Amino acid sequence: MRIAQDIAETIIDPKAYAVGTPIDDAFRVLRKEAPFAIAEPTGVDPFWVVTKFDDIQLIERQNDLFHNGDRSAVLTTIEADKMVREMMGGSPHLVRSLVQMDNPDHMAYRRLTQAWFLPQNIKKLEPRIREIARSFLDRMAAFGTECDFARDVAFLYPLHVIMEILGVPESDEPKMLKLTQELFGAADPELSRSGDAAQGTEAGVNSIAETVGEFIEYFNAITEDRRANPRDDVSSVIANGQINGEPLDHFAAMSYYIIAATAGHDTTSNTTAEGLWALCNHQDELAKLKADPSLINGHIEESIRWTTAVKHFMRTATEDTEVAGQKVAKGDWLMLCYQSGNRDEDHFDDPFAYKVDRTPNKHVAFGYGAHVCLGQHLARMEMRILWEELLPRLESVELNGTPKRMESSFVCGPKSVPIRFKMN
Amino acid sequence: MADTDFKTWQCRTCGYLYDEAEGDPTEGLAPGTRWADIPDDWVCPLCGTPKSDFDMVEL
Ligand code: HEM
């Protein structure tokens, strides 16, 4: 079954993700009328659109049947795919991180840093992260009664945390923020490197490749340093790590830094900014939260579901199989639509309502299965600390203008949330 | 105290913790449910990893 052309074009349109409602509307129709069907937008290879929560989990759980690496792991155009393959000696990927790997490599590479990211290990970072959160909130208070919460707080705090974890000096943070936004904001005219929203074209691929090149140059120097002077940071784990008794292959090591440096903050920033935006629009939920701080974890989980900062990942079938009663052929490409899964009426009561006390709240914003987000505990801890510090100081908050999301069909969230507030 | 015998198990993929003392009522596992009494086809509620890929942990 093929989905209607206008819907196929909408669900890949970066501008539609920036607005939000066209995406929710498109997926609402698909969940009802074509929950698992093929989209053929202009200039893009056909792919299955997976809209239901249960189907997303079913596919993600079978990571040998549905690979990450056989075709592009994120949506791309026919033109961009061709260029990347020419550039990369036939591979559809510009980097080789956990996201592009399958077993046995995936498991081996993931095990390397897995323990570092477990709750019992990152707990030791809590006092330092709290200090960082407080310093950003002091800055927010210093703005007086108005600021842009996305730009002035939400984007800077998780960036600072992940850069400390990687051991990147503070003076290099603006560079890291710029490079990350060039990667994830490649389709956004304000954020992309070439400034012309050239995603999916030859110019777009070239500028992404240049961004990757800059990252690699930067992390080469870090690797050398950590080999000479190992520290208790993730960069040292990557620099000195071994896979089957050998050091990591250079490209994979570089890709490891890039995924940690990029996935590690934009997503958390987006969720934090969108979380405050939601509270501004749902003052009753804000009042509930202020009255009962034990709801903070509920608010965080709901903000993660609500934002679903990662909009999709792609999978490729390794064999002929069946999903939702339909035949999927070996080599078929599938789009896991996390935002749709997180609004699935069969899984959530009243999915379009923001509820800080939603229980249960099992969502797919961190994915599922072998590739489930490596940084989920860190992300939750960072957000818990920020809200624990912010809420008691926040006397009132409301929107002071119209928030704006970045234009992206991959990682998407607010780039601006202007607020008026009172803080003590 | 019998409680001291309770163990905690952790998913190797995502870090989910199963504490025998607390169980996981949302999964239909009452407090006190022993690891050995959870069916072998049970999977991690957060990421779907099979029961065989959990480790016993001391926190
Ligand atoms: C609210 C914040 C975050 C969201 C919504 C998020 C979301 C996701 C999603 C959807 C995936 C793909 C999972 C799948 O394929 O099933 C993923 C993977 C990943 N995330 Fe996150 N993430 C967040 C924060 C972080 C942080 C703080 C880090 C820190 C390093 C991180 C590192 C990674 C890595 C390394 C992967 C690849 C894992 C793999 O393929 O094995 N993420 N994340």
Side-chain angles (χ1 to χ4, degrees), chain A residues 189-301:
Chain A
E190 284 176 21
L191 302 175
S192 72
R193 189 181 187 99
S194 46
D196 60 358
Q199 193 199 38
T201 63
E202 189 170 327
V205 173
N206 277 329
S207 52
I208 292 180
E210 277 171 35
T211 304
V212 169
E214 259 192 71
F215 265 123
I216 291 183
E217 202 177 302
Y218 187 84
F219 284 115
N220 259 329
I222 293 239
T223 310
E224 278 170 30
D225 177 70
R226 293 309 191 279
R227 286 197 174 138
N229 315 294
R231 299 192 212 164
D232 183 20
D233 59 19
V234 170
S235 292
S236 301
V237 175
I238 300 171
N240 299 299
Q242 298 211 331
I243 303 280
N244 303 325
E246 302 280 330
L248 271 71
D249 119 38
H250 178 258
F251 188 49
M254 293 301 123
S255 302
Y256 222 131
Y257 291 117
I258 294 177
I259 181 95
T262 54
H265 60 93
D266 252 29
T267 46
T268 315
S269 303
N270 286 329
T271 308
T272 306
E274 186 102 23
L276 189 73
W277 177 358
L279 290 179
C280 288
N281 281 345
H282 299 85
Q283 292 285 338
D284 48 334
E285 295 296 304
L286 174 60
K288 246 195 254 174
L289 191 56
K290 284 186 65 69
D292 180 1
S294 75
L295 291 172
I296 283 182
N297 286 336
H299 159 59
I300 291 167
E301 222 48 43

Side-chain angles (χ1 to χ4, degrees), chain A residues 60 68 97-101 106 110 113 117 162 256 259-261 263-269 271 304 308-313 315 336 338 364-376 378-380 382-383:
Chain A
E60 293 224 62
N68 280 44
S97 76
L98 292 180
V99 166
Q100 289 79 21
M101 286 183 191
H106 176 257
R110 184 158 169 137
T113 54
F117 283 101
I162 193 74
Y256 222 131
I259 181 95
H265 60 93
D266 252 29
T267 46
T268 315
S269 303
T271 308
I304 298 168
T308 310
V310 177
K311 302 299 170 183
H312 79 270
F313 268 113
R315 295 291 190 267
L336 306 170
Y338 297 122
V364 281
F366 288 123
Y368 191 71
H371 288 271
V372 73
C373 179
L374 183 67
Q376 58 173 309
L378 176 65
R380 284 195 182 95
E382 280 178 51
M383 291 192 274

Side-chain angles (χ1 to χ4, degrees), chain A residues 57 61 107 110-111 114 118-120 360 362 367-372 374 376-377 380, chain B residues 10-17 24 26-27 43-49 53 57 59:
Chain A
Q57 287 202 335
R61 200 159 55 221
M107 196 185 285
R110 184 158 169 137
R111 290 279 149 88
Q114 177 81 65
L118 285 181
Q120 56 267 46
K362 279 193 188 146
Y368 191 71
H371 288 271
V372 73
L374 183 67
Q376 58 173 309
H377 306 292
R380 284 195 182 95
Chain B
Q10 184 164 42
C11 171
R12 274 189 212 164
T13 309
C14 76
Y16 164 84
L17 290 170
D24 187 344
T26 59
E27 284 284 291
V43 297
C44 172
L46 292 191
C47 73
T49 291
D53 277 344
V57 289
L59 295 178

